[in-house]
Amino acid sequence: MKKLNSHCKISLLMVLLFSTVIYAKDIKINSLKALAKYATKSGNTITMAPGVYQLTDYLNSDSIAARRARKAFQYITFSGSNNIFNFKDVEIVLDTEIRTALKPPIHSDEFLITGSNNSFEGLTIRCVGNGTSPGGTVLQVAGEANMLKNITLHVKGSYPYGYGDLFGKGKQKETTIKHRKHSGLLVTGNDTKLYGCKVFNRSFGHCFFIQQHPKNVYFENCYAEGEVRRTDAVLAETSGPAFDVSFKTWTQNREGEYVVTPGYMKSLCEDGFRTYGACENISFKNCIAKNTRAGFELRFNKALVENCKTIGTERGYWIGDNTKVINSEGDANYGPLMFVEGSNVDVELFVNPAESDRKVHALITIMGENNNIVLKSSEGKTRKKELPILIGSTPPMHGESMSPYSEAEVIGLHLINETGMPISIGALAKNCSIKTNGSIKENKGTQIQVSKK
């Protein structure tokens, strides 16, 4: 058989490319039924007509019963690959009562992306109604190399709502109220990219979170928002789930009692951005978390956090080994700005001077080895109330602001403190170098070099 000459090879390549273009269809749809159909196909550009689409119109009572029988607990699964979905001005209204009717197993997600190399832009999903989910998420991205842009989720549908994690988080034996959580957006797939995505969370659950150890997950210009409530308001209740358990908490307070303590502020959702386990090459750029439990809880995971911000969180940043925080900001309005739990971290963090009448016991806590931390004041403005920087201290149990701290080893810390806040150095601190413009309240450490900044 004769080999193809160069001209034939070029001609064949052009035919293949032309064939690919021919089969990449530009499809316009105007129903959820059509969306579900094309979600399973590949190689298309799908544009959905602007408008508000009711999920109940697509999933009627008959199909719910049929779905339950065949264990089809997802609403729409995007199993196709190499698609472009244009959802500009498209909103899907998700009645949470559907979840109650379906009776799915725990951790069943509702919209699921399992295909790869897809692009999704402009979709809003809004939860309404009083149904609940047994630990599922509105949207999971499980396939590889998917891009989400300007996707917005309005999440509700948990039980109980209004207490945050005061009474536990789920399976823990210490839990005093059994929860039904409902979260926003879960990433489990490699090479997922999210741009300008937003989660407005009015549910006990996470906004954005990462599980199952995916690689190369990137967030840019994303926004997570919860809401907060004073513990005094919880204690004022005269009926309801908290009252029924006599306000017994799963974590002890600073007096050693397991009871809701007045004077604190609780987020009613879980974390703004959360990682579980070791996930390779995880990055956050220009992202904001407001009124969430933690802004960025990245424990046990290497991460890059750049130009990010926390506002009114229970704790701003909780970081583990080898994490880098660059030019980021947060306040200690309702709780500590940062817990440093790992080693070999590199932090440049600006302290916003926002303050409240809520009890807060530390600006940051630091443990671990060979950490480099620079703390600065936002726009040169310092806090009026002093909050100590605790060197050689653990975070409180479960991160709960009402709970006490413990001592922990910190070795080889290099700290530059330009916030004017005082520093307390614990007995397990060794070989640390500190430059500060704040006072040293106590120094129980060994070989601690302190100089004025």
Side-chain angles (χ1 to χ4, degrees):
M1 183 176 180
K2 294 183 178 179
K3 294 184 178 180
L4 294 174
N5 60 33
S6 60
H7 178 75
C8 291
K9 289 180 180 179
I10 293 172
S11 298
L12 179 59
L13 179 61
M14 291 180 67
V15 169
L16 291 173
L17 290 173
F18 182 70
S19 299
T20 301
V21 173
I22 288 293
Y23 287 109
K25 297 180 181 179
D26 190 353
I27 298 164
K28 299 186 184 304
I29 60 173
N30 59 6
S31 71
L32 292 179
K33 182 177 180 180
L35 177 60
K37 172 185 175 181
Y38 286 104
T40 66
K41 300 184 182 300
S42 299
N44 298 308
T45 296
I46 298 98
T47 300
M48 196 165 187
V52 177
Y53 296 83
Q54 302 288 336
L55 192 62
T56 49
D57 292 340
Y58 169 58
L59 299 177
N60 56 41
S61 58
D62 291 337
S63 66
I64 288 174
R67 280 174 173 267
R68 188 167 59 238
R70 66 177 186 270
K71 303 185 184 302
F73 298 112
Q74 280 72 41
Y75 300 147
I76 296 178
T77 298
F78 294 86
S79 56
S81 297
N82 303 306
N83 292 307
I84 297 172
F85 290 91
N86 296 319
F87 291 117
K88 184 178 180 182
D89 297 324
V90 170
E91 178 175 312
I92 298 175
V93 177
L94 189 165
D95 189 335
T96 54
E97 296 289 354
I98 298 172
R99 215 69 192 142
T100 303
L102 272 175
K103 300 179 182 178
I106 190 170
H107 299 152
S108 295
D109 302 307
E110 294 159 11
F111 292 85
L112 182 59
I113 300 170
T114 58
S116 299
N117 299 297
N118 296 297
S119 171
F120 302 82
E121 183 170 1
L123 176 65
T124 295
I125 301 176
R126 185 181 304 274
C127 296
V128 300
N130 298 311
T132 59
S133 168
T137 62
V138 174
L139 174 62
Q140 183 188 163
V141 186
E144 296 199 348
N146 289 294
M147 183 184 75
L148 280 65
K149 187 175 182 181
N150 299 327
I151 305 299
T152 301
L153 307 180
H154 295 267
V155 184
K156 60 181 300 187
S158 65
Y159 175 86
Y161 181 69
Y163 309 113
D165 62 359
L166 279 170
F167 305 108
K169 296 194 293 186
K171 293 182 179 179
Q172 293 84 355
K173 63 181 180 179
E174 302 91 345
T175 293
T176 59
I177 298 175
K178 187 177 180 180
H179 289 72
R180 292 173 63 85
K181 297 201 286 188
H182 194 206
S183 296
L185 198 155
L186 168 62
V187 176
T188 58
N190 294 333
D191 300 300
T192 301
K193 305 290 185 288
L194 299 96
Y195 300 92
C197 295
K198 300 179 176 67
V199 175
F200 296 89
N201 203 347
R202 301 299 182 262
S203 169
F204 184 57
H206 294 301
C207 296
F208 298 93
F209 64 121
I210 303 171
Q211 288 182 329
Q212 299 180 24
H213 316 294
K215 300 178 181 179
N216 308 320
V217 179
Y218 181 76
F219 295 82
E220 184 174 329
N221 295 323
C222 293
Y223 179 79
E225 181 187 290
E227 59 182 351
V228 295
R229 188 185 185 200
R230 294 168 180 255
T231 54
D232 308 69
V234 175
L235 288 166
E237 293 183 358
T238 57
S239 64
F243 181 84
D244 292 343
V245 298
S246 302
F247 305 103
K248 182 181 178 181
T249 61
W250 75 311
T251 305
Q252 66 177 340
N253 64 15
R254 298 173 79 86
E255 287 72 45
E257 299 175 336
Y258 289 82
V259 65
V260 177
T261 308
Y264 294 89
M265 188 72 85
K266 290 295 295 182
S267 173
L268 305 188
C269 68
E270 292 190 290
D271 303 323
F273 299 88
R274 175 68 182 266
T275 60
Y276 284 89
C279 310
E280 185 178 328
N281 191 25
I282 310 299
S283 300
F284 304 86
K285 185 176 182 179
N286 301 331
C287 295
I288 298 173
K290 180 178 180 180
N291 293 346
T292 57
R293 184 178 64 188
F296 298 82
E297 187 159 325
L298 315 175
R299 304 167 65 195
F300 318 120
N301 187 80
K302 177 182 178 181
L304 173 63
V305 181
E306 183 176 3
N307 300 330
C308 291
K309 186 174 184 179
T310 63
I311 304 168
T313 56
E314 282 190 51
R315 60 248 188 192
Y317 303 82
W318 194 340
I319 61 173
D321 293 344
N322 303 300
T323 290
K324 191 167 188 176
V325 179
I326 302 172
N327 191 39
S328 293
E329 180 182 346
D331 61 52
N333 200 12
Y334 301 140
L337 173 57
M338 175 174 277
F339 299 139
V340 177
E341 192 173 31
S343 298
N344 303 306
V345 306
D346 195 350
V347 173
E348 179 192 30
L349 194 57
F350 290 81
V351 179
N352 187 290
E355 300 180 16
S356 72
D357 65 348
R358 301 292 86 192
K359 294 179 183 178
V360 182
H361 300 288
L363 180 65
I364 71 170
T365 67
I366 306 170
M367 56 187 288
E369 299 184 19
N370 302 317
N371 294 320
N372 295 293
I373 300 173
V374 178
L375 299 175
K376 302 179 181 180
S377 295
S378 295
E379 300 177 358
K381 298 177 181 179
T382 59
R383 291 177 52 92
K384 295 179 182 179
K385 296 179 183 178
E386 287 191 343
L387 273 182
I389 297 166
L390 303 182
I391 297 175
S393 175
T394 67
M397 182 176 288
H398 305 131
E400 174 55 64
S401 291
M402 296 184 302
S403 297
Y405 303 152
S406 300
E407 289 190 317
E409 192 171 63
V410 58
I411 299 173
L413 169 69
H414 295 276
L415 170 67
I416 298 176
N417 172 35
E418 299 178 0
T419 68
M421 294 296 103
I423 296 175
S424 291
I425 305 168
L428 300 181
K430 302 175 184 178
N431 302 323
C432 298
S433 171
I434 299 168
K435 293 183 179 181
T436 179
N437 64 356
S439 63
I440 303 294
K441 291 292 187 182
E442 63 176 359
N443 184 356
K444 297 179 180 179
T446 303
Q447 294 182 324
I448 309 297
Q449 297 180 358
V450 178
S451 58
K452 288 294 183 180
K453 176 64 180 175

